[in-house]
Structures are given as C-alpha cells and as structure tokens.
Amino acid sequence: MNQENKNKIAIIGHTKGIGKAIASLYQKKKYEVVGMSRSNGFDIIHDQEKIMESIKGCDFVVLNAHADRGQLNLLKRIYGQHSFDKMKVAVITSTSGTEEDPDYSQFKVWNKFNYVQYCEIKKELIEYISNLQDELLSKPLSVYDVCPDVVDTDMTKGLWEDLPKLSADDVAEAVRYCFEASFNINKIVIQKNAK
C-alpha cells in the first residue's frame, strides 16, 4: 500500500445514516475522508466522472449512496479502471427483496413500485459482485459486499418496527472489519439478534 495514501478513504453517500457513521469512524481513526454526496455536488448518477477523479489515490472506497443503478454503474467503472490497483471497495447492498412482502402502506419514502424496483436493482448489484469475485482472485482489487438487514435510519423510520434493527455504527464496524481483515471477505451479511 502506498505509504502516502494509506489513510485515505472515499465515501460516496457520506452525509446521513450509514455513510455518516462510516465517515465518523474513519475520522476518529485519523483517516483523510473524501466525502461525496449530492449535498456537496456529487450525484452518483450524473457525476460519475467527477467521482472517479476524486477516488484516485484512495486505497479504500465505500459505495453507500443509492440511486437507480448508480452504485452498479460506478462499481463497473471502478473495476474497469482500478482492477490492477491495490484498492479495497466496500459496497453497501441490502437484504431487501426477500420473499416476505412488506406492508407498503407504512412506507413514507417509497411506494410499492419504488420498493420493488429498489429490490431488483440491489439483487442485480449483489449478483454482479458475486460474479466479479472469480475475476478478482488474480487481481489486487478487493470488492466486499456488505449486506445489512434492517438498519435504523431516516429511511426506515416507521417501517419494520417489529424487527430488531442494526445501527448505522454496526454497519460501519462491518466495513472496518472487511477493510482490516487479513483474509478476503467476499460477502458479509449482518443482522441484529432478536432479544
């Protein structure tokens, strides 16, 4: 790892929830955090060139922001440009899309169509990461599928109230575990234990 850049992490979607928790964790660890989100002019769909330029020199990248296929398309670009770099990329996916159909009337953020579409896109992203793992065996790039179950964020307020929820800090710790492990982790699924 380049000594000059070993403490530099890029987080796409860093201002709220999971991304904010990851940024906070790495700021406490004295990393230089390169935060990118719509609030500071980095839209994951429309600003991918600018994002790709900003992650240069980062040894760690977190793809947290979600908008349509923005995560998937950005990951494909990272693989295309950085597959021979010793970069570690954590992609925050989701256990959404299980067979259980939620009560959509509770949704404040999504309607049924939007939620179903979200689940389909996340499944496509998870499948891409899974298929990518064989290709990565011979390359220095590492990609981790960090797959949390229900996380207590603004997006889940009022939803799945009967389920135990992870905190954003729990997900940040899972990302840290992937980045710092002395072995490769292809996928990590995290769930809160029921009390």
Side-chain angles (χ1 to χ4, degrees):
M1 208 175 281
N2 184 333
Q3 188 67 21
E4 182 180 301
N5 297 325
K6 76 173 188 169
N7 292 326
K8 191 172 182 183
I9 183 171
I11 303 170
I12 295 91
H14 74 292
T15 55
K16 295 189 265 184
I18 294 169
K20 185 176 181 179
I22 296 168
S24 177
L25 173 70
Y26 279 93
Q27 285 167 338
K28 288 176 188 165
K29 292 171 69 63
K30 307 293 185 207
Y31 280 60
E32 178 184 343
V33 175
V34 179
M36 291 171 267
S37 63
R38 285 183 296 199
S39 64
N40 65 346
F42 291 90
D43 183 288
I44 195 168
I45 294 177
H46 303 295
D47 298 314
Q48 291 205 353
E49 286 296 325
K50 191 162 68 165
I51 291 170
M52 290 299 294
E53 188 63 33
S54 296
I55 68 171
K56 285 182 181 173
C58 293
D59 289 305
F60 305 99
V61 177
V62 179
L63 298 180
N64 175 54
H66 166 81
D68 198 39
R69 285 183 171 73
Q71 267 183 312
L72 176 60
N73 293 337
L74 191 56
L75 179 57
K76 287 178 178 180
R77 293 179 79 149
I78 290 170
Y79 175 69
Q81 291 183 28
H82 295 282
S83 61
F84 292 99
D85 296 336
K86 195 171 174 115
M87 180 183 280
K88 294 184 176 191
V89 181
V91 184
I92 310 301
T93 61
S94 172
T95 60
S96 294
T98 57
E99 298 306 311
E100 187 177 328
D101 216 15
D103 177 5
Y104 298 103
S105 66
Q106 297 178 27
F107 282 36
K108 295 174 184 159
V109 177
W110 294 312
N111 60 32
K112 181 176 180 174
F113 173 78
N114 289 339
Y115 182 73
V116 169
Q117 184 180 36
Y118 168 84
C119 293
E120 288 172 1
I121 290 168
K122 287 292 187 176
K123 283 180 184 178
E124 185 179 351
L125 175 63
I126 290 166
E127 186 176 317
Y128 176 76
I129 296 168
S130 179
N131 293 335
L132 194 61
Q133 296 305 329
D134 285 340
E135 294 178 38
L136 292 175
L137 287 173
S138 62
K139 297 183 172 75
L141 177 71
S142 296
V143 177
Y144 310 100
D145 177 354
V146 179
C147 189
D149 199 13
V150 181
V151 182
D152 189 14
T153 66
D154 289 344
M155 286 180 61
T156 62
K157 291 288 184 228
L159 297 174
W160 301 293
E161 292 299 324
D162 56 331
L163 297 176
K165 292 183 182 180
L166 295 160
S167 71
D169 290 336
D170 293 331
V171 182
E173 278 299 318
V175 169
R176 182 201 59 75
Y177 182 74
C178 290
F179 285 163
E180 295 179 11
S182 59
F183 45 85
N184 191 35
I185 300 165
N186 294 334
K187 180 176 186 141
I188 186 167
V189 177
I190 54 175
Q191 296 174 310
K192 188 78 167 185
N193 290 332
K195 294 182 182 187

